[in-house]
Amino acid sequence: MTQPRIALVGDRSPAVRAHVRIPVLLEALREQEGLTLDAYWIPTDAVGDLSGFDGVWIVPGSPYRSEQGAVQAARTARELGIPLLGTCGGFQHAVLEFARNVCGLRVDHAENTPEGDDGLLIRPLACSLVGHEAPVRLAPGSRLARLMGGERTLERYHCAFGLNADYLPVLQEHGLLFVGHDDEGEVRAAELPGHAFYVLTLFQPELAGDGHRAHPLIAAFAAAATERHNAGAALPA
């Protein structure tokens, strides 16, 4: 029997703590949740046709080798309804994809294009979150709040870039919901309603706890990928 296939889009490195954690978390999902995933690491400069995957996880570790590869991965998942999880750099590049291809904006990511001739959608944070742990307020009724079982959570970061708030109105007008904020009101998470699973977080759920139990968000992503796989398997040949 085949297992759900997920694409881990990112430039794998033993120096990135989240990358070291992910295999351990996938094993924990198998042992504790009964969710077995067939995971493929795909470098950003080798992203090809992802249509056959049951889930796409754009993992931390930017600057990526290829901005375009990360953006294309997010676009494929969004357009084909494939469960998408974007964490840290994954959040940034998925929002960049949405801004460009849904909103029609000419925008850049400051980590990749510091000058930002077309306008910086993703820009340096006023205060770096590298190594920080901080509370996140979750919008009532949001998918993320339901997954976390409440409207407040404490999360870990390893991030120095975030969303330029000047673009929030147009992103919201086109349907992207910003459902997580810090105590100062800065965006920390987003969702796309009507999609099977599309959740983006600036924080890194990979770093939650001791790594031996998957964060509820990661477990929910795995469940969504499994559901997609099972639905496809049930279709007549």
Side-chain angles (χ1 to χ4, degrees):
M1 183 177 179
T2 61
Q3 305 295 339
R5 298 172 71 240
I6 65 167
L8 301 174
V9 178
D11 307 315
R12 192 176 188 180
S13 168
V16 178
R17 189 179 173 204
H19 294 184
V20 176
R21 278 275 186 104
I22 287 172
V24 179
L25 296 173
L26 294 178
E27 180 61 19
L29 284 171
R30 185 188 67 80
E31 293 180 350
Q32 299 164 13
E33 308 287 344
L35 298 171
T36 301
L37 302 175
D38 192 5
Y40 294 78
W41 284 86
I42 301 177
T44 55
D45 57 359
V47 171
D49 182 7
L50 302 182
S51 62
F53 285 92
D54 300 297
V56 174
W57 182 353
I58 308 177
V59 302
S62 61
Y64 299 132
R65 293 176 199 159
S66 171
E67 174 186 284
Q68 183 53 39
V71 168
Q72 182 58 41
R75 182 172 189 170
T76 297
R78 178 181 57 79
E79 292 184 340
L80 298 185
I82 300 171
L84 174 67
L85 176 60
T87 53
C88 196
F91 168 101
Q92 297 160 17
H93 286 72
V95 175
L96 191 64
E97 186 280 320
F98 190 90
R100 289 174 176 172
N101 297 316
V102 178
C103 305
L105 298 174
R106 293 174 58 87
V107 288
D108 294 310
H109 189 311
E111 191 172 34
N112 308 321
T113 312
E115 299 304 318
D117 292 338
D118 292 331
L120 292 176
L121 177 74
I122 305 298
R123 64 185 182 185
L125 294 168
C127 182
S128 172
L129 291 171
V130 172
H132 284 223
E133 185 175 64
V136 180
R137 294 183 291 106
L138 305 177
S142 64
R143 181 195 292 265
L144 197 49
R146 294 195 301 272
L147 292 177
M148 297 306 302
E151 296 173 9
R152 193 172 179 85
T153 181
L154 188 66
E155 301 292 345
R156 295 182 183 178
Y157 295 84
H158 195 84
C159 180
F161 293 85
L163 180 61
N164 183 344
D166 291 345
Y167 291 98
L168 283 175
V170 66
L171 292 166
Q172 291 171 322
E173 287 169 10
H174 285 82
L176 196 60
L177 299 182
F178 296 99
V179 298
H181 299 80
D182 70 4
D183 285 339
E184 285 69 50
E186 296 294 323
V187 169
R188 297 292 179 255
E191 300 175 2
L192 185 61
H195 192 281
F197 187 97
Y198 182 111
V199 182
L200 315 174
T201 68
L202 200 59
F203 58 83
Q204 293 192 14
E206 302 89 350
L207 303 184
D210 61 5
H212 291 92
R213 178 171 292 277
H215 187 284
L217 176 55
I218 295 173
F221 166 72
T226 300
E227 182 178 351
R228 178 181 176 86
H229 174 77
N230 291 342
L235 293 175

